[in-house]
Amino acid sequence: MNGNEKSKMYHCWLDYQLHKKQSKEWIYGNQIYCAEDLLKEGVIQSAIDELKLFFLQHFDLSMDVVTKRPVQAHIALDVAETYGLKEGAYEMVAEDNQLLIHADSCNGILYGAFGLIQVIKRQIPVQGLKIKEEPINKIRMINHWDNSDGSIERGYAGKSIFYHNNEIIQDMGRIKDYARLLASVGINSICINNVNVHHYETQFITDIYLKDIARIAKVFETYGIRLFLSVNFAAPISLDHLENADPLNTEVREWWRKTAEHIYKVIPNLGGFLVKADSENRPGPFTYGRTHAEGANMLADAVRAYGGLVIWRCFVYNCHVDWRDRTTDRARAAYDHFIDLDGQFNDNVILQIKNGPMDFQIREPLSPLFGGLKNTNQILEFQITQEYTGQQKHICFLVPMWKECLDFDTYAKGENSRIKDIVSGNLFGNKETGIAGVVNIGDSECWSGNPMAAANLYGFGRLCWNPHLSSKEIADEWISLTLGSDKKVREVVSKILLTSRKTYEDYTVPLGIGWMVNVGHHYGPNIEGYEYSPWGTYHYADYKGIGVDRTMETGTGYVRQYLEPNRSLYENIKTCPEELLLFFHHVAYDYELKDGRTLLQYIYDVHFEGVEQVSSYQKAWKSLNGSIDQDFYNAVNEGLEIQLKDAKEWRDVVNTYFYRKTGIRDSKNRKIYE
């Protein structure tokens, strides 16, 4: 990227144009000092390029790079192991007429450069500045579900930026800009192909694609990001016609060893493999009567010599069961499959666990594998792309939901055994831990389809770096970096973002029931729509009540997977958090909630209230016309028109369904289509 040929929406929070006049008093000169030997490091050069671009665009100031330390330098970059900072951490100090950024690693300098830029853009005083920043999580990862034909599974922002017609895109310009965005929020790992590995993607580990993938890896490497590849567990069969892919078969193990050896010759800095196995018709070790530990460890042995990791997804369930059997419970699957394997995985294997036991719903409890697994490396998986949350047509700021997950107390080692402390490695002492997110970008002009959805990508990165940040702090950062410091803009956009998750939940699927979306594409209301359930509703709604009984006493027993006191909390309908009531209990429509409303009246009310909230967003947004970039304004305004229309459809379809199911009218006599 050079200059301003792209729109403000394209630059996202890295728009360096001056929004408002800022003080230049603290600018001590026009020099960046860096030791000559450091200039050979690609990450250091990226940091310098970023600073030069920023000062040129923001202050119209050309910066010179000097390798002999002057008496007074504007900015001095210094890397030395003596600082005692962890990988990626940096300190920034403004004193003696210079600004020093120092770290123990090149990555720390890069993050420090972005940190300085963000301090200036947010109009935080530089004089007297003293900041120490260090990442809480070791692995801060983005997962792409991009296919080689250019399509993106669960993608709502255009086509892939990596692939087109089963070929690697040759122009690395946009990929470099993407690496800049990710590095600016501290992302240090990326997997660039779909976990559902199809025919062409299986060949990514062969010479057909490896050299081009190496070019992509190099771009990310210069921004401190290690590249991973999703691999097909049955690759030995599909690529070299081995008789099987049994992880204990000597021939299979040797095949993977030689394959890894060749891959690492081409891509020395490859992070390793990401694997989805034995779920949704993907091949895996179950075919051969082997465990997930045996399958993962076989791959881990192949990449160990190169410092490689194997990230093994825990999204494993039987999608062909008969859901009419009420003892069947998909929510139980991940725990049932993995809990007895705790401690059996190699130390370079990481289990990637979805935040909830189902599938990225707007509201579900937290996976009991967190707290259940104590002797296994773990990565928490979030979904940034809005598969079940409006598909980036609707504004739905997901940071509050992610915060609830990170702050959840598992009680694994007594009170305050929070998920954020498990995935940071602090609670159990696991070494390879962190957070991964299924990303929401494509080749749309604003990257995310709707420019407001970029707040989710930004927020994800910030929570990976520091899960102690509040939702409001993250929202305010993104707004000021993206839209400037205008007080009214900040107030309006912050209110929309911070209330949008609850609003979406209200007009779609409240109380933790989930789903109710059209089969396949997962957009729009279909009250009885659920994949793999041709026999009828997943939520067991009848004329008396709705919800899934997951109790130990009368239900599927899923509640047993939680540690006390969460187990008893969820088991008892009176103590179960009402936002999760229908996830854990089958509840009569006339059941009285804590506020005195019946369950059914609550369903009616919140669907009307959700629509009213979206309408208020639309009015508030219109008040910003002329105060922000016009393209940004227009794109969000169009999205809100879609969101309001869709919210009304959800309201009418859901309320009509339950009125017809029960014959019970809305106590407020509002119009419900019969």
Side-chain angles (χ1 to χ4, degrees):
M1 182 205 69
N2 294 301
N4 305 306
E5 70 276 8
K6 302 291 186 180
S7 71
K8 287 182 178 293
M9 291 197 300
Y10 178 90
H11 294 303
C12 297
W13 57 88
L14 293 185
D15 172 22
Y16 291 164
Q17 293 301 300
L18 191 61
H19 286 289
K20 186 178 179 180
K21 186 176 180 180
Q22 287 188 259
S23 169
K24 297 183 181 180
E25 293 178 2
W26 64 273
I27 298 180
Y28 313 118
N30 68 335
Q31 293 181 325
I32 299 173
Y33 162 74
C34 182
E36 188 170 2
D37 61 329
L38 285 178
L39 291 177
K40 297 179 291 185
E41 301 291 338
V43 174
I44 295 294
Q45 192 60 58
S46 294
I48 291 172
D49 289 346
E50 207 67 38
L51 289 169
K52 291 176 68 176
L53 179 65
F54 172 74
F55 278 94
L56 181 63
Q57 293 189 358
H58 201 72
F59 291 118
D60 194 25
L61 178 65
S62 295
M63 302 292 286
D64 297 324
V65 178
V66 296
T67 56
K68 292 185 178 180
R69 192 157 194 159
V71 174
Q72 180 177 311
H74 175 199
I75 299 172
L77 309 179
D78 195 12
V79 177
E81 294 181 3
T82 57
Y83 290 121
L85 300 172
K86 67 190 292 187
E87 166 57 34
Y90 65 88
E91 287 187 334
M92 187 189 311
V93 180
E95 61 183 10
D96 298 330
N97 292 328
Q98 68 175 336
L99 196 146
L100 172 65
I101 299 174
H102 61 245
D104 282 34
S105 68
C106 295
N107 286 358
I109 296 297
L110 178 64
Y111 300 142
F114 281 117
L116 173 60
I117 289 167
Q118 290 169 11
V119 161
I120 298 169
K121 284 196 65 183
R122 294 174 60 207
Q123 301 191 19
I124 297 172
V126 176
Q127 289 173 318
L129 187 72
K130 189 171 185 178
I131 292 175
K132 180 180 179 180
E133 281 279 338
E134 59 181 19
I136 301 298
N137 293 289
K138 180 178 181 182
I139 298 172
R140 306 177 299 277
M141 187 175 194
I142 288 293
N143 287 178
H144 276 263
W145 285 356
D146 295 29
N147 300 313
S148 63
D149 63 2
S151 64
I152 303 174
E153 184 172 341
R154 310 308 178 193
Y156 313 106
K159 297 291 187 178
S160 172
I161 67 169
F162 302 116
Y163 319 115
H164 178 70
N165 288 341
N166 301 313
E167 295 181 354
I168 307 292
I169 288 175
Q170 294 299 303
D171 184 354
M172 295 287 117
R174 183 162 186 142
I175 294 173
K176 179 180 177 181
D177 285 347
Y178 181 45
R180 293 175 58 242
L181 285 171
L182 296 184
S184 73
V185 290
I187 297 298
N188 67 357
S189 305
I190 188 169
C191 185
I192 62 169
N193 64 305
N194 195 350
V195 293
N196 293 316
V197 183
H198 306 110
H199 171 69
Y200 287 101
E201 297 90 59
T202 299
Q203 299 177 59
F204 279 10
I205 58 176
T206 73
D207 285 334
I208 298 173
Y209 287 102
L210 271 178
K211 287 185 178 180
D212 278 335
I213 291 174
R215 294 172 58 242
I216 296 176
K218 189 63 178 178
V219 172
F220 283 113
E221 184 180 348
T222 58
Y223 286 90
I225 301 169
R226 290 182 76 186
L227 185 139
F228 286 70
L229 288 174
S230 291
V231 296
N232 187 333
F233 191 81
I237 300 172
S238 57
L239 292 179
D240 277 331
H241 308 292
L242 270 65
E243 290 186 2
N244 60 59
D246 183 348
L248 300 190
N249 182 318
T250 302
E251 187 180 11
V252 172
R253 298 177 70 86
E254 180 64 11
W255 186 92
W256 278 108
R257 188 195 67 78
K258 289 183 176 179
T259 298
E261 180 181 32
H262 182 65
I263 294 171
Y264 277 92
K265 283 181 180 177
V266 183
I267 312 175
N269 197 38
L270 186 77
F273 298 146
L274 175 64
V275 187
K276 176 180 178 179
D278 289 316
S279 187
E280 296 182 328
N281 304 308
R282 305 311 302 163
F286 283 178
T287 303
Y288 311 101
R290 312 303 186 190
T291 69
H292 284 282
E294 290 169 324
N297 290 344
M298 177 267 294
L299 291 172
D301 286 342
V303 300
R304 177 182 294 279
Y306 315 100
L309 302 172
V310 169
I311 301 175
W312 192 272
R313 296 180 85 238
C314 292
F315 185 57
V316 176
Y317 70 100
N318 183 354
C319 60
H320 298 295
V321 296
D322 187 340
W323 294 98
R324 292 172 296 184
D325 178 359
R326 295 202 180 192
T327 64
T328 296
D329 192 356
R330 172 173 165 178
R332 292 181 49 134
Y335 186 98
D336 286 346
H337 281 302
F338 286 93
I339 195 63
D340 291 337
L341 300 176
D342 191 23
Q344 296 182 30
F345 293 90
N346 287 2
D347 60 5
N348 63 329
V349 173
I350 309 168
L351 296 188
Q352 182 164 303
I353 308 167
K354 287 189 177 184
N355 62 284
M358 297 298 280
D359 194 12
F360 301 129
Q361 299 303 292
I362 187 64
R363 177 83 64 174
E364 56 181 301
L366 289 311
S367 172
L369 276 176
F370 294 112
L373 295 172
K374 297 178 174 63
N375 302 300
T376 304
N377 295 322
Q378 300 163 57
I379 285 180
L380 167 62
E381 181 182 3
F382 288 133
Q383 191 180 50
I384 310 167
T385 190
Q386 294 174 229
E387 178 180 357
Y388 292 101
T389 53
Q391 300 189 359
Q392 282 135 248
K393 298 175 185 176
H394 297 208
I395 297 172
C396 187
F397 188 48
L398 297 172
V399 170
M401 179 169 69
W402 299 336
K403 280 287 295 179
E404 288 174 10
C405 175
L406 290 162
D407 292 340
F408 180 76
D409 196 345
T410 67
Y411 293 91
K413 292 180 72 173
E415 193 173 1
N416 291 321
S417 299
R418 303 189 185 279
I419 289 179
K420 62 187 175 186
D421 296 318
I422 294 173
V423 299
S424 70
N426 289 335
L427 192 65
F428 298 132
N430 297 317
K431 301 302 182 185
E432 301 292 346
T433 55
I435 305 175
V438 182
V439 79
N440 62 342
I441 74 105
D443 66 358
S444 77
E445 177 64 19
C446 65
W447 298 90
S448 53
N450 183 329
M452 290 285 275
N456 285 326
L457 179 57
Y458 178 87
F460 171 80
R462 294 295 284 132
L463 283 179
C464 288
W465 182 274
N466 183 3
H468 305 302
L469 292 170
S470 71
S471 298
K472 188 177 189 308
E473 286 174 319
I474 292 171
D476 287 347
E477 284 181 11
W478 178 80
I479 294 164
S480 63
L481 293 172
T482 304
L483 296 171
S485 58
D486 181 90
K487 182 178 179 181
K488 181 180 179 181
V489 171
R490 295 181 68 172
E491 288 176 351
V492 167
V493 178
S494 179
K495 184 176 181 180
I496 291 174
L497 287 176
L498 294 174
T499 60
S500 60
R501 184 267 184 112
K502 179 63 165 60
T503 294
Y504 183 87
E505 181 180 25
D506 283 350
Y507 67 74
T508 56
V509 281
L511 302 173
I513 194 59
W515 313 103
M516 292 190 179
V517 290
N518 283 303
V519 173
H521 56 77
H522 299 166
Y523 188 80
N526 182 342
I527 310 307
E528 297 188 351
Y530 179 64
E531 274 95 347
Y532 316 124
S533 181
W535 306 281
T537 171
Y538 151 79
H539 46 67
Y540 304 125
D542 56 24
Y543 71 97
K544 294 181 180 179
I546 182 175
V548 184
D549 184 353
R550 292 189 162 99
T551 65
M552 296 181 291
E553 183 176 352
T554 58
T556 69
Y558 167 73
V559 169
R560 187 175 288 108
Q561 297 181 347
Y562 289 92
L563 301 171
E564 291 289 7
N566 291 325
R567 181 185 298 164
S568 295
L569 182 79
Y570 294 143
E571 175 79 7
N572 188 332
I573 193 172
K574 295 298 184 182
T575 59
C576 181
E578 286 188 341
E579 65 268 19
L580 292 170
L581 186 64
L582 301 184
F583 189 95
F584 286 106
H585 297 275
H586 189 80
V587 183
Y589 294 116
D590 60 359
Y591 177 82
E592 189 173 294
L593 301 177
K594 293 173 184 176
D595 66 3
R597 286 183 285 183
T598 65
L599 172 67
L600 184 58
Q601 189 58 47
Y602 179 88
I603 291 172
Y604 287 154
D605 285 350
V606 296
H607 281 84
F608 281 103
E609 291 164 7
V611 171
E612 291 167 5
Q613 271 285 80
V614 178
S615 181
S616 74
Y617 295 165
Q618 192 177 46
K619 292 175 183 176
W621 187 257
K622 288 183 182 297
S623 73
L624 301 183
N625 194 4
S627 299
I628 59 176
D629 175 69
Q630 197 63 41
D631 290 337
F632 193 109
Y633 171 84
N634 291 341
V636 176
N637 195 51
E638 291 171 9
L640 283 167
E641 290 177 0
I642 294 170
Q643 187 169 359
L644 182 58
K645 176 178 175 292
D646 289 346
K648 290 177 179 177
E649 181 186 12
W650 270 99
R651 175 198 65 193
D652 295 341
V653 170
V654 172
N655 285 350
T656 296
Y657 175 89
F658 286 107
Y659 171 68
R660 289 176 176 173
K661 184 73 74 173
T662 65
I664 301 172
R665 292 188 175 276
D666 170 34
S667 66
K668 299 177 182 177
N669 295 316
R670 290 165 294 195
K671 184 176 181 181
I672 294 178
Y673 294 90
E674 302 179 12

